[in-house]
Amino acid sequence: MLKKLIKMVLAVLLVFSVSFTGVLGMERTASQEWFEDAKFGMFIHWGLYSILQGSEWVMNEAGIPVREYEKLASKFNPPEFNAGDWVSLAKSAGMSYITVTSKHHEGFCIFDSKLTKYDIVDSTPFKRDVMAELAEECRKQGIKLFFYYSLLDWHHPDYFPLGDTGHYSDRGEGGNWEKYVEYYKGQLREICSNYGKIGGLWFDGWWDKPDADWDLQGAYELIHTLQPDALIINNHHRKPFPGEDIQEFERDLPGENLFGFSGGAAVSQLPLETCGTINDSWGYNKSDHNYKSVKELIHCLVRSACMNCNLLLDIGPMPDGKIDEQFRKRLAGMGQWLKENGNSIYGTRGGPYAPDKWGGATWKGSRIYLHVLKPKSTKLVLPEISSDILSVSLLDGTELETVREKGKISVNIPKKIRDEIDTIIVIETKGEGPFYVKGK
Ligand code: FHN
C-alpha cells in the first residue's frame, strides 16, 4: 500500500516537472513574486546620446572620440524634463516598474556620482540628479525604480584593455582594470545608498568582455547586502549566473533567438523578462519611424505573459526631456486595453496550455485565461488538464459552446465573437492552479 502511494506521488511529481516550464518554478523570494505578478515595465534610454538623436550607440557607430563626445555634456539642459510626467505615463500605460539607464555604454551618469565628474550634476548646465527625481516620484506614485547600469564604459580611462567595442573612441593605450572594477562597484554602492529603496539593478555590457574578471559575485553581494530586496538582472545573453534573480531576454521571447542575442541562453527556472522597443531603437532616434501598432504591442505583452515572462517596453525621451507623441499614443492604447483586460495578465502565471501560433494561456487561482490572438479555425482543441472544467465563457460571461471528447475539450470560437486584438476565454475550473496538461 505504502509502495503504491509512493509510486503515485512520484508519478505526479514527474508529470509536474515535465509540464510547461514556468508553471512551476523554483522557490521565489517575495521580490521575485512581486516581479512575476507585475508583468509590465517601462524601459527608458536617456543620456547624452539623445542630443545627437541617433540612438545610444551613436558614439561608437559614428566613431566620435571621447574628447569630442564629452562636449555634449555642456549642451545637456532639458527644459521639459518632468519626473512626474514620466512616471504618470508609465502608470497610465499599466506598467508597474521603470528601468532607467543611469549609465549607458557612453559612460555618462545621469545620477550624481562622487566618483566621476562625468555626470549630470557636475558637468551639465542642468545640474539636477534625474535619478533622484525619478526615485522620489516613483515612491510617490507607488511604482518601483530599477537602475540600468552598463558595465561596459566607452569613456572611463581604466576600462582597459578594451573589449569588442569602443575602438574608435581614441582614449589612448593604458588603464588599470582593477581600478575600473573598483569604480563600478563604488558606483553601485552609491546607487544602493543614495536613492532609498530601489527595485533592483539591471546590468548590461558584460558581453563586451566576457573573459574579464568583473568580480560580479562581489558586486552582487554588495547589492544584496545594501538592498536585500533588490532584484539583480544581467542582460549578458547567457544562462543566469549565481546571484541573479531574474533571467533577461532581449527582443526575443524565452527560448527564441530571432535577433541573435539569446543563442547561449537556455530558459531557466528564474522569473523571466524580455525587453523590447516600440520602434526599432532604444535611445531617441529621430529617423526611426518603424513603430509597432498598439495591437502588435499588446500581442508582445500577452505572448510574454503566456510564457510566464514580463515585458519591459522601451521609450527613448527626446533631448529636451519630452516623450514623443508616437510613444505616448501607443502606451495610452495599451493602458486602455489593460484597464479592461488586466485581470487576465496581472498576477497570472503562464500556461497550462503551451503557447502556440494561435496564442496561449495564463492562469490565476481557479481560472485559466485563453488568449486567442490568431485563431487557426473556429475551433480550439485543448488537451485535458489536471482539474475538472466547470465552465467556458468570454470575459463578459457569455458561455461558449464546447465539445468534450476523449479527454480533450474543443471550444467553439465563431468569427462573430472574436475580438480584434485578443479573444479572451475564461475557463473556470474546480481546483486551483498550478494546473498541468495530462499525459505530458
Ligand atoms: O547595447 C545595448 C543596447 O544599447 C540596449 O541598451 C539594449 C537593451 O537591452 N542592450 C544592449 C545590447 O544587448
Side-chain angles (χ1 to χ4, degrees), residues 324-382:
D324 196 316
E325 210 37 53
Q326 295 290 350
F327 293 142
R328 286 184 176 275
K329 272 201 301 213
R330 285 160 177 83
L331 292 176
M334 293 184 86
Q336 188 52 41
W337 184 86
L338 277 163
K339 251 194 202 148
E340 289 154 23
N341 304 291
N343 271 344
S344 68
I345 301 289
Y346 299 120
T348 63
R349 297 294 178 268
Y353 306 109
D356 204 336
K357 286 200 182 93
W358 60 264
T362 53
W363 66 268
K364 183 163 53 184
S366 62
R367 284 186 155 192
I368 297 170
Y369 299 96
L370 297 178
H371 295 271
V372 187
L373 306 174
K374 282 192 179 159
K376 271 196 280 194
S377 76
T378 50
K379 259 191 206 146
L380 188 61
V381 183
L382 302 166

Side-chain angles (χ1 to χ4, degrees), residues 390-440:
L390 302 178
S391 66
V392 179
S393 60
L394 292 176
L395 264 189
D396 67 4
T398 313
E399 286 244 0
L400 293 182
E401 207 183 297
T402 57
V403 180
R404 293 163 204 239
E405 239 180 3
K406 292 187 195 148
K408 293 194 172 162
I409 180 162
S410 89
V411 185
N412 229 2
I413 329 169
K415 286 201 173 119
K416 62 173 190 250
I417 66 150
R418 284 192 204 154
D419 184 89
E420 178 28 32
I421 295 179
D422 178 3
T423 309
I424 303 175
I425 295 169
V426 184
I427 301 183
E428 198 63 65
T429 72
K430 204 169 171 189
E432 297 250 314
F435 309 95
Y436 62 91
V437 169
K438 283 191 177 169
K440 283 242 169 133

